[in-house]
Amino acid sequence: MKDHDSAIVSNRPPFSALCWGAAGVVAFSLTFPATRLALPAFGPVLTGLGRAAGAAAIAGIALLLARAPRPTRAEWARIAVVSAGVVVGFPLLSALALDHVGAGHAAVLAGLLPAATALAAVARAGERPHPGFWVAAGAGLAAVLVFAAVRGAGRPQVADLLLLAAVAAAALGYAEGGALARTMPGWRVIAWALVLAAPVLVPVSAYAALTDPPRHPGAGAWLGLAYVTAVSAFLGFLAWYRGLARGGVARVGQLQLAQPVLTLGWAVLLLGERVDAVTVGAALVVLAMTAATQRGRVRHPAHDADRPAAPARLGAA
């Protein structure tokens, strides 16, 4: 290959990348329903940041047992982006939003995640989606805003704005983490991101627990909190970042198309939520527009699917 700085990823990423990515999507599809189970008893701050504090303890033990080498100064800067996006930003913003809207409603807005991840990959992972991406992504965003306005009696609710901000935070963390996972194991990316945020997560979570104590949590609330702590905040990322690193951030991110549908199903089965025609219709439109963003080929920095390449420069566009 003459051009050693970039490569073309075909429409078919390695099968192993798809398997790892699919495992991550299934794990994350339960995040909103599990959060809704935990919220009535633990509140949004303890559910959103407390889960990350618990996951940081698990991550710290894993790093010690594995005797993982410390990241370099440049890697710490990139891990900070991951931490801000998926350790702090997405959990807290989505928990605050889910305190006011159902998991099915949130799933529609989360349908923008694949397009948002691909957009973040342009700036953070050096990838180049095809030109039609921009048109389809804009149409998907418009569909989400219309849905939010219909549900908000003419204008988006505060919860919708929080969810859009959560999607943006997650997309940034996904793209940066997927790119960084080309140079270190994906589990170490999320583990160090959790550990880095721990000095903030632990005191804030402790303060929230003291000022707004848990309200008689039952088995469902504990299960929900345990799930978002162990799976949503840590284990799911082991599979997700490995898939993104092996198959490309924008390309494997296409698997997120299934996530809103899975979340809607979990919301009905686990929470008894009613999913009406407006919600289903909006979800289908967002899925169609997001699918359109994923067609064609994507250019991204060359890397071996099984061996890490040289790290991309921070802020590479």
Side-chain angles (χ1 to χ4, degrees):
M1 184 180 294
K2 294 182 179 180
D3 184 5
H4 295 285
D5 294 326
S6 63
I8 298 293
V9 176
S10 69
N11 288 334
R12 294 182 180 180
F15 181 70
S16 62
L18 295 177
C19 290
W20 285 110
V25 167
V26 173
F28 293 148
S29 70
L30 274 159
T31 297
F32 285 167
T35 300
R36 285 283 293 175
L37 284 173
L39 276 171
F42 296 103
V45 175
L46 198 55
T47 301
L49 296 184
R51 80 185 203 185
I58 299 173
I61 294 172
L63 289 168
L64 287 174
L65 292 176
R67 296 183 179 179
R70 290 189 179 184
T72 65
R73 181 176 298 181
E75 288 172 336
W76 274 123
R78 304 182 71 189
I79 288 171
V81 175
V82 177
S83 186
V86 300
V87 174
V88 177
F90 179 80
L92 180 59
L93 292 168
S94 61
L96 289 170
L98 285 164
D99 205 25
H100 301 283
V101 297
H105 180 107
V108 175
L109 275 72
L112 286 174
L113 251 178
T117 301
L119 179 60
V122 172
R124 306 305 304 181
E127 301 189 5
R128 295 292 182 269
H130 62 101
F133 163 83
W134 306 104
V135 175
L141 177 60
V144 163
L145 292 177
V146 169
F147 170 77
V150 170
R151 285 291 188 235
R155 62 181 181 180
Q157 307 171 63
V158 173
D160 295 318
L161 300 179
L162 289 170
L163 283 167
L164 289 176
V167 165
L172 181 62
Y174 285 173
E176 191 68 29
L180 188 55
R182 298 171 188 161
T183 64
M184 71 167 63
W187 77 268
R188 276 170 33 197
V189 173
I190 188 60
W192 284 119
L194 286 162
V195 169
L196 180 63
V200 174
L201 296 173
V202 172
V204 171
S205 299
Y207 179 78
L210 291 173
T211 57
D212 186 17
R215 294 173 287 277
H216 308 291
W222 281 114
L223 284 173
L225 185 62
Y227 187 90
V228 295
T229 298
V231 180
S232 301
F234 186 50
L235 296 177
F237 282 99
L238 274 64
W240 183 236
Y241 280 154
R242 190 174 182 87
L244 294 180
R246 286 173 172 260
V249 174
R251 180 60 57 207
V252 175
Q254 181 179 7
L255 295 173
Q256 289 176 301
L257 289 169
Q259 190 167 320
V261 177
L262 291 172
T263 299
L264 286 172
W266 295 128
V268 173
L269 290 174
L270 301 179
L271 304 177
E273 292 187 5
R274 296 182 59 186
V275 179
D276 57 20
V278 174
T279 300
V280 173
L284 291 176
V285 171
V286 173
L287 289 176
M289 292 302 98
T290 303
T293 68
Q294 301 298 317
R295 296 183 60 187
R297 296 186 173 189
V298 178
R299 295 185 65 87
H300 69 88
H303 64 281
D304 190 294
D306 297 313
R307 294 182 304 171
R313 289 178 301 169
L314 179 63

